[in-house]
Amino acid sequence: MTPPSLESIEDIVAETLLVIERLKSVPHGSDRALDEYQNLCCKIPDHIKTGLLRIAVVGVIKSGKSTFINALTKKELVKRGAGVVTSITTRIRKGKKNRACLYLKSWDEVNLVIANSLDMFPRQLPQKTFDIRRKTDRRFLKQVYEDLFREFPITQEGIRPETLVIKNGLEGYEACKDIIGAEERQICFEGKSFETHKKFTADPARAFYVNDVCLEVFGKAIDPNIEIADCQGADSTDPAQLSRIISYMESANLIMYCISSRTGLRRSDMSFLKKIKQLGLMENIIFINNCDLTEHDTLDDLNKIQGKIFEELLFLTPHLRLFSFSALYNLFDAISKKLTKKDAKRLSLWQEDSGMVKFCSQNTKDFFSLFNQLTKLNQFELLYANPIERLKIVIHALEKKANIIQDVLATDLEDQDRARAKLEGIEENARRLRVIVDNSIQGAVSGLSREIEGNLKQAFVRDKINQKITQFIKSAEINVEPYRSGIKETGFKQVLYLMFQDFKRQLDLFAIDEILPMIKTLVESQEQRIQDYFQSLMDSYQIDFFTLGSSMDEDARSYSIQELEKDPGNIQAVDINQIKKILGLGLPRKVFSPKFTTRMRANALTDFGFHSFALFISALVDKHVRFSFTPGFNKAADKIKKESLVLVRHQVKGYHQALRQDYFAPLIRAVTRDFKDKILQRFTLYESLNNEIQTLFGLKQDEKIRYQNTISSVLEKAEYIDRRLDQFSGKGFIS
C-alpha cells in the first residue's frame, strides 16, 4: 500500500470538494449537510500541518545525545563536547531558513525560582520579597552562594541543586538583564547570527533565564512533520530539570536513549530507565550504544560491551531494540568536506579499521530502517488516521445522497407518489431520531461525568495517592548526620535550611518516581473509559431508518434507497488525542512539594530550642547525661514533616480539583460536541429530504438525463476516492 502524505490528502480533499460541487449543481442538491462536509474537508490539510511527531533524545551526561542529533540531521546544530553541554531542552524542526527562537522567562519567574531555593535560609532578605534586579539582593545572593559553597559545597550526588540555581542566576544576570522583561518574551537569531543560540543552550548561566528553545532548520535532513528534542542529562539532581525531561518524553512519540560505550549502563542510567518503565514508555524507546571508536581496540571488545548492555536492558524490557554505532563517525562522514584538519585525521584513522567501520555501518543502516518504519507508523496514527476516517465518512454520505437523487431521477410518473411516500417516511424517521439522540446523549454523558468524578475521588481521597504521599512524608528521614561537623561553624539555622532543602528534594523525586506514574495510569484509564463509552453509544445509534415507526412494506424496503444504511465500517466514535491537541489540553502542573512558611521555621526553631535547652540543663545537673544537638534537630525535623504534610495534602486536594475541573470536564464537553456532530450528520442528510427533491420530479426528460449523467460522474468519482482512501486506511504500507 502507498503511504499517505500531505500532498496526497490535499489531492483527495480537492477531489472530494469537486464531488460536493457537482452534487450542489443538481436542482435542490445543496443542503446544510453538504455545507458542513465542505467546511470539514477544507480544514483537514491545516489539521495535518499543525501535527508534529515528537522524538526525544535522552540519556545521562556524556552519553553523546547532542552528537547523535547532529549526526541524525547531518549538521552541527547543537554544541557537543565533554561534560555538561546541553543546559536546556532544545527542540529542532524543519524551517524555511535557519532560525533559533528562545522563549525567555519573565522577571517574576526568575525571582520565584531563586526565592524557592532560599526557603529556610537563615540570612534575612534585605526586603520582604526577592528581586535579583536590585543590587542589594544580588549582594545578598552572592553571600548566600559563598556560604553554601564554602561550608557545604557538594553532596553524594554532586553540587547541591539550590547552589547551582543561585550560581547560575548570578552568573547569567549581566548577559541576560537587558533581554528579560515583565512578561515572557521571545528573541530569535537568523542567518549569520543563528549560531548565537549555542551561547544559551550550552551555558547553564544563560540557560537559567530561558524557558524553551526551538531551532528551525533549512534543508532536507528533517521531515516537516517531525520535531527532535535534545534533552538535558537525565542524571540531574535537580527535580525541576528532571520533571521537564519527563514532561517532554510523555508528549513524545519516540524516545532515543543514548548510552556511552565507554561506560556502558551506569547506575544513573538504570535509575532513569526505571522511571521510564514506570511511566509506561518502554514500548516507544530505541537504545543507541554510542561507540567511542578511540576507546575500543578491537571489534570483539565492542561486542562484549554491547552484549553486557543488552543483558542488563533485558531486565527492563523483553522487547529490546539496541543498535551500536558511532554517532561522531556518522557525523564526520556526513560533513567530511567541512571538517577541520584534526577531525579529518581522526576520521581517516577510524576508516582504517574496516571491520569496525563495517559493523557500525550495518548497525546504522538497521537503525534507520527501524527508525523510518516507526516514524511512518506514528505519523499515520498521529496525522492521517483521523482525517482519512473523516473523509471516508464524507464520501459514504455523498454516495448515499447521490444514490437517492439517482433513484428519484429514474422514477416515472406512476412511481412518483410511491417515491414521495417513501421519502417522507425516511425524512420523518430522521427527524425523530435526531430528537432521540439529541436528548439521550446529554443524559448519558452526565452519567459518565459522575462516574469519572467518582473514580478520581476514589484515587485521590480514599485510595493510594493520598495514602502513599502521607506514608512517605511520615517515614522520610531528615538526617542531621551529614551536617554534624558544621553545626558549630554554621549554626543551627543554616543546617536547618540544608535539611529542609534535602527533604523537599526527596519529596519532589518521590513524586516523580511514584506519584506521577500513578496519576498517568489513572488518567489513561479514565480516557479509555470515555473512549469506550462513546464507542458503545455510537454502536447503539446504528438504527435502521426504515423500520423505526415506519409502515413501509417489504417492497418499500427493497427500494434502492437502502444505500442510506451503507456506513463505513469500524468508525471511531471519538479521537481523544486529536481533541486534546485541538484544545491544547494538558495535565495540571504537578505540585506536591513542601514550601517554606514562617510558621514552619518558628515551630522548628522553638522545638529545637526548648529540647536542646532542657537537655543542656540536664547535662549540667547530671554529669552522666551527655549533651547533643541531635535530639533537638530530630524534634525540629518532626515539625517540618508535620507542617509539610498539611501543606502537601492541600496541594493534592488542589490537584484533584484541577484535574477534574480543568482537564476532564472540558475534555468530556469537547468529546461530546465532536461525537454529537458526527452522529447527527447522519440525520442532517435526510431531515429535509422530501422538500429538497420535489423539484426533481418536475424536471423535463432531457434535464433528468443531463442530471443523471452528473450523478453518475459523482458516483464514479466517489468510488474512485473511496478506493484511494482504502489504500491509506490500513497500516499495510509499513513493512
Side-chain angles (χ1 to χ4, degrees):
M1 292 185 182
T2 307
S5 66
L6 176 60
E7 291 75 17
S8 60
I9 297 298
E10 284 179 328
D11 187 34
I12 290 175
V13 166
E15 291 177 327
T16 305
L17 291 172
L18 180 60
V19 170
I20 294 173
E21 287 301 325
R22 286 182 183 175
L23 266 178
K24 284 186 171 185
S25 71
V26 177
H28 288 275
S30 181
D31 60 22
R32 185 158 58 92
L34 292 184
D35 292 337
E36 290 177 2
Y37 292 144
Q38 200 168 35
N39 291 334
L40 187 151
C41 288
C42 290
K43 292 176 182 177
I44 283 175
D46 287 336
H47 283 317
I48 295 174
K49 289 175 185 176
T50 56
L52 271 179
L53 178 71
R54 290 181 169 84
I55 299 173
V57 180
V58 300
V60 299
I61 293 171
K62 300 183 183 180
S63 58
K65 300 182 294 297
S66 298
T67 305
F68 171 76
I69 284 179
N70 289 338
L72 200 63
T73 58
K74 299 179 181 179
K75 294 176 182 287
E76 288 270 23
L77 289 178
V78 287
K79 192 170 181 179
R80 56 184 175 83
V84 184
V85 174
T86 303
S87 300
I88 190 169
T89 296
T90 304
R91 298 178 293 112
I92 304 164
R93 301 177 181 177
K94 183 179 178 68
K96 295 180 180 179
K97 58 183 175 180
N98 288 345
R99 185 168 182 255
C101 295
L102 277 63
Y103 300 88
L104 306 171
K105 294 175 181 174
S106 66
W107 281 120
D108 285 347
E109 288 179 277
V110 169
N111 289 325
L112 180 62
V113 173
I114 296 175
N116 286 339
S117 71
L118 296 173
D119 278 354
M120 293 282 278
F121 197 80
R123 287 183 179 274
Q124 197 69 31
L125 281 168
Q127 299 188 40
K128 287 185 178 181
T129 57
F130 176 83
D131 193 330
I132 196 171
R133 289 170 288 183
R134 291 193 290 255
K135 286 184 179 179
T136 53
D137 287 24
R138 291 198 300 278
R139 283 197 296 269
F140 166 80
L141 198 62
K142 186 176 180 181
Q143 188 60 57
V144 170
Y145 173 71
E146 289 173 354
D147 289 350
L148 289 173
F149 192 77
R150 181 180 63 251
E151 294 159 9
F152 299 100
I154 197 166
T155 68
Q156 290 181 345
E157 292 80 21
I159 299 175
R160 302 183 64 89
E162 58 271 18
T163 305
L164 283 175
V165 165
I166 295 169
K167 176 178 182 291
N168 292 333
L170 283 169
E171 291 183 357
Y173 176 77
E174 287 299 325
C176 298
K177 65 180 182 180
D178 294 328
I179 59 174
I180 303 298
E183 303 292 335
E184 294 180 7
R185 59 171 60 169
Q186 172 186 337
I187 58 171
C188 295
F189 303 106
E190 301 177 357
K192 293 181 180 180
S193 66
F194 175 74
E195 296 289 322
T196 308
H197 76 84
K198 293 179 182 178
K199 291 183 179 180
F200 291 85
T201 57
D203 179 7
R206 295 191 187 196
F208 172 77
Y209 289 86
V210 181
N211 268 328
D212 191 25
V213 176
C214 183
L215 307 183
E216 297 172 5
V217 183
F218 177 75
K220 298 180 180 179
I222 302 177
D223 186 291
N225 292 119
I226 287 180
E227 176 181 275
I228 304 169
D230 183 16
C231 299
Q232 306 103 305
D235 45 352
S236 170
T237 57
D238 184 355
Q241 182 170 305
L242 188 59
S243 181
R244 285 193 293 270
I245 298 169
I246 289 175
S247 179
Y248 190 88
M249 285 197 305
E250 286 183 309
S251 71
N253 306 89
L254 285 175
I255 299 170
M256 306 291 155
Y257 194 97
C258 293
I259 303 163
S260 171
S261 70
R262 293 193 307 274
T263 59
L265 282 170
R266 289 172 268 181
R267 186 170 66 177
S268 51
D269 279 303
M270 297 304 288
S271 175
F272 187 59
L273 286 169
K274 286 177 182 175
K275 291 181 175 65
I276 292 175
K277 184 174 183 178
Q278 287 173 326
L279 291 168
L281 301 174
M282 272 294 178
E283 290 183 1
N284 300 334
I285 199 166
I286 298 176
F287 293 95
I288 310 298
N289 176 28
N290 201 355
C291 305
D292 185 343
L293 297 183
T294 59
E295 190 76 17
H296 307 288
D297 295 329
T298 65
L299 184 56
D300 286 341
D301 178 45
L302 182 57
N303 275 319
K304 286 179 183 177
I305 295 289
Q306 178 183 261
K308 185 178 179 184
I309 292 172
F310 191 89
E311 289 177 3
E312 291 174 339
L313 288 175
L314 280 176
F315 285 105
L316 294 170
T317 174
H319 309 294
L320 182 57
R321 298 174 291 201
L322 173 66
F323 300 92
S324 294
F325 55 81
S326 169
L328 190 59
Y329 176 88
N330 290 344
L331 175 63
F332 282 3
D333 189 48
I335 62 170
S336 56
K337 294 180 180 179
K338 299 179 181 179
L339 291 176
T340 63
K341 288 184 178 180
K342 181 180 178 181
D343 286 340
K345 285 182 180 179
R346 292 171 71 188
L347 177 62
S348 179
L349 184 64
W350 292 337
Q351 288 173 336
E352 291 177 6
D353 191 338
S354 58
M356 191 79 79
V357 170
K358 184 178 179 181
F359 172 83
C360 289
S361 296
Q362 185 59 50
N363 267 261
T364 300
K365 183 179 178 181
D366 293 342
F367 162 75
F368 275 107
S369 175
L370 177 64
F371 177 77
N372 292 331
Q373 178 180 339
L374 291 176
T375 51
K376 284 180 183 178
L377 175 62
N378 279 279
Q379 279 186 325
F380 177 82
E381 292 292 342
L382 178 69
L383 306 177
Y384 300 110
N386 184 266
I388 287 170
E389 183 182 83
R390 291 286 179 135
L391 282 169
K392 285 185 72 68
I393 292 172
V394 170
I395 285 298
H396 279 271
L398 297 178
E399 286 179 313
K400 294 172 188 178
K401 178 91 173 179
N403 275 303
I404 295 169
I405 295 174
Q406 188 180 58
D407 285 339
V408 172
L409 290 172
T411 303
D412 57 28
L413 290 173
E414 293 180 3
D415 292 331
Q416 283 184 8
D417 289 339
R418 291 178 60 212
R420 284 192 181 93
K422 294 166 191 174
L423 293 171
E424 286 173 359
I426 294 169
E427 183 182 342
E428 178 61 25
N429 285 344
R431 285 203 198 94
R432 293 175 61 194
L433 283 172
R434 184 183 184 93
V435 173
I436 291 171
V437 171
D438 205 8
N439 292 336
S440 63
I441 287 177
Q442 203 55 47
V445 170
S446 296
L448 174 64
S449 297
R450 288 193 297 271
E451 180 185 337
I452 298 295
E453 288 180 10
N455 293 340
L456 293 178
K457 188 174 182 180
Q458 179 70 25
F460 279 95
V461 179
R462 307 184 188 123
D463 211 348
K464 294 181 180 179
I465 292 177
N466 205 33
Q467 292 176 7
K468 241 184 181 333
I469 293 177
T470 300
Q471 184 180 5
F472 174 81
I473 291 176
K474 287 182 176 179
S475 61
E477 291 187 9
I478 303 182
N479 190 9
V480 71
E481 292 302 319
Y483 314 113
R484 182 184 294 278
S485 60
I487 291 175
K488 292 182 180 179
E489 292 79 9
T490 63
F492 164 72
K493 292 181 180 179
Q494 185 112 319
V495 171
L496 186 64
Y497 161 78
L498 297 170
M499 289 167 60
F500 175 77
Q501 291 290 335
D502 285 345
F503 169 66
K504 184 168 72 170
R505 187 159 54 255
Q506 277 187 66
L507 184 53
D508 287 342
L509 292 173
F510 168 77
I512 291 172
D513 291 344
E514 301 290 338
I515 304 304
L516 179 57
M518 291 175 66
I519 290 175
K520 188 171 185 291
T521 301
L522 172 67
V523 169
E524 287 177 348
S525 66
Q526 301 315 301
E527 288 179 349
Q528 187 60 52
R529 175 62 183 134
I530 294 170
Q531 190 96 28
D532 294 343
Y533 193 88
F534 280 96
Q535 191 63 54
S536 66
L537 279 182
M538 170 72 82
D539 296 340
S540 70
Y541 291 141
Q542 299 302 313
I543 305 169
D544 189 339
F545 277 81
F546 296 90
T547 59
L548 185 69
S550 174
S551 60
M552 284 190 271
D553 56 20
E554 288 301 315
D555 181 55
R557 284 184 55 77
S558 68
Y559 191 68
S560 64
I561 299 177
Q562 62 187 287
E563 287 291 320
L564 282 169
E565 299 313 304
K566 179 186 173 186
D567 279 320
N570 301 319
I571 296 176
Q572 186 181 8
V574 291
D575 186 340
I576 284 184
N577 291 328
Q578 180 74 8
I579 290 170
K580 287 195 296 184
K581 185 177 77 171
I582 293 170
L583 292 177
L585 199 60
L587 294 178
R589 291 188 176 183
K590 295 168 280 294
V591 185
F592 304 121
S593 180
K595 302 294 180 185
F596 165 75
T597 63
T598 305
R599 177 180 171 183
M600 185 182 290
R601 173 187 281 172
N603 286 343
L605 287 171
T606 301
D607 266 36
F608 171 79
F610 278 134
H611 200 84
S612 298
F613 180 75
L615 192 61
F616 178 71
I617 296 298
S618 298
L620 289 177
V621 174
D622 186 350
K623 294 181 180 180
H624 296 290
V625 176
R626 187 177 178 182
F627 176 73
S628 171
F629 282 112
T630 301
F633 273 114
N634 290 338
K635 291 291 287 184
D638 287 342
K639 279 293 183 182
I640 289 174
K641 288 162 64 174
K642 186 176 180 180
E643 294 287 338
S644 296
L645 183 58
V646 173
L647 183 62
V648 171
R649 279 176 174 169
H650 182 72
Q651 291 170 347
V652 171
K653 183 179 179 181
Y655 190 91
H656 170 208
Q657 291 176 343
L659 192 61
R660 177 171 58 85
Q661 295 173 359
D662 302 332
Y663 185 80
F664 278 110
L667 178 62
I668 291 174
R669 286 196 298 269
V671 168
T672 303
R673 285 195 302 269
D674 183 71
F675 174 79
K676 196 172 177 181
D677 289 344
K678 184 181 290 186
I679 199 70
L680 293 180
Q681 276 177 351
R682 296 182 66 224
F683 309 133
T684 305
L685 190 65
Y686 318 122
E687 282 179 342
S688 57
L689 189 61
N690 193 40
N691 291 333
E692 288 175 354
I693 63 176
Q694 285 298 322
T695 307
L696 296 177
F697 289 124
L699 292 176
K700 296 178 181 179
Q701 191 60 31
D702 61 333
E703 290 177 318
K704 286 186 178 182
I705 293 172
R706 178 155 53 89
Y707 289 125
Q708 279 177 324
N709 291 334
T710 300
I711 295 301
S712 294
S713 70
V714 164
L715 289 170
E716 183 180 342
K717 195 68 171 177
E719 187 178 348
Y720 166 73
I721 295 171
D722 204 15
R723 287 198 304 270
R724 287 194 66 184
L725 290 171
D726 282 338
Q727 291 180 326
F728 301 147
S729 59
K731 299 171 190 173
F733 55 83
I734 300 171
S735 58

